Amino acid sequence: MTEQTASKSAAAIDRARDAGRSALVCYLPAGYPDVQATIDAGIAMAKNGADLIEIGIPYSDPVMDGPVIQAATTEAIANGFRVESVFDVVAGITATTDVAVLVMTYWNPVLRMGVDEFSRRLAEAGGAGLITPDLIPDEATEWFAASDKYGLDRVFLVAPSSTPERLAMTVKASRGFVYAVSIMGVTGTRQDVSSSAEQLVADTHAAGAERVCVGLGVSNAGHVREIAAYADGVIVGTALVAAIRDGGVPAVADLTRDLSAGLTREVA
């Protein structure tokens, strides 16, 4: 399919697959602690093993984010972050790296700016696409049109509660990869990865997905290694936000390097 060859996210995941490993997807909220720090951290992640980067738009009323990310985004908003600044972050990272950069956002900020306008500016900044936690394919007509127009990836979410019909619809609507939520809950570091994650990935693959990445609760190289055995990509967020909070960009670089050590699939 031509749409897959144009997908920056798919290309990044496929490069990792060709190297015999899962892709590492790293998340940070835009503007935390400030815009330039987010850019610097994104570049550091790309240089230390990240294949894809998610840049989150701080939101005043999050429904999926746990306390660490909530605190970071609240601080970013208090420090004056505006939605338009996310394009500066994306452009700053893509200007010096070849990593695929996606924006993760609740849908209201996109609607406020205008779906076409937001998509155009994201494409101009070098962005790969959007991850949309609270947008379902049934309500994404405008996004389908804009993402096709500007060549952007559409990453929708599936969860352990997703029915076979919903899985099939979400897989068909997605481009780049499908985001598999490993647990029913909010983001945050956990001791163990949910046992339902592997089955969800298998079910999503069975529904036709070529690439499935797992997120929520992934915080160390052991988790990464466990998920890399069955998923096409591993998504890490809260642990990286805590790293930049506690140790700045150097801590983000160190953690990314450590996480990437878990990516290679063990040969039986």
Side-chain angles (χ1 to χ4, degrees), residues 31-207:
Y32 179 73
D34 55 58
V35 168
Q36 188 57 51
T38 314
I39 294 171
D40 293 342
I43 293 170
M45 291 190 297
K47 289 181 176 178
N48 286 278
D51 300 288
L52 300 92
I53 293 174
E54 297 179 16
I55 297 297
I57 292 182
Y59 194 60
S60 58
D61 189 25
V63 295
M64 182 178 168
D65 301 317
V68 172
I69 294 176
Q70 280 193 35
T73 55
T74 298
E75 184 175 325
I77 292 169
N79 289 341
F81 178 83
R82 295 292 178 264
V83 172
E84 291 81 0
S85 298
V86 76
F87 305 119
D88 297 329
V89 173
V90 173
I93 298 171
T94 58
T96 55
T97 78
D98 60 358
V99 69
V101 181
L102 298 105
V103 169
M104 187 170 193
T105 180
Y106 298 105
W107 196 237
N108 192 54
V110 181
L111 282 178
R112 279 188 65 99
M113 182 175 290
V115 178
D116 189 89
E117 172 75 1
F118 191 103
S119 300
R120 179 185 64 78
R121 293 180 69 175
L122 179 59
E124 288 176 351
L130 286 178
I131 302 167
T132 52
D134 64 344
L135 180 69
I136 55 176
D138 324 47
E139 300 172 355
T141 303
E142 268 194 284
W143 173 223
F144 289 147
S147 53
D148 286 344
K149 180 178 178 180
Y150 296 107
L152 296 170
D153 291 337
R154 299 186 292 261
V155 180
F156 291 99
L157 280 66
V158 294
S161 60
S162 298
T163 63
E165 294 76 18
R166 177 60 56 179
L167 283 176
M169 175 188 289
T170 305
V171 167
K172 184 178 180 181
S174 296
R175 178 163 58 218
F177 65 95
V178 177
Y179 189 125
V181 177
S182 66
I183 50 163
M184 300 301 292
V186 297
T187 61
T189 58
R190 290 172 172 81
Q191 292 298 110
D192 301 299
V193 176
S194 168
S195 59
S196 62
E198 185 170 1
Q199 186 61 52
L200 177 58
V201 170
D203 291 344
T204 308
H205 278 146

Side-chain angles (χ1 to χ4, degrees), residues 21-23 197 201 205 212-214 226-234 265:
R21 60 178 178 80
S22 288
V201 170
H205 278 146
V212 184
C213 300
V214 173
E226 181 181 343
I227 294 171
Y230 57 82
D232 305 292
V234 186
R265 297 185 174 122

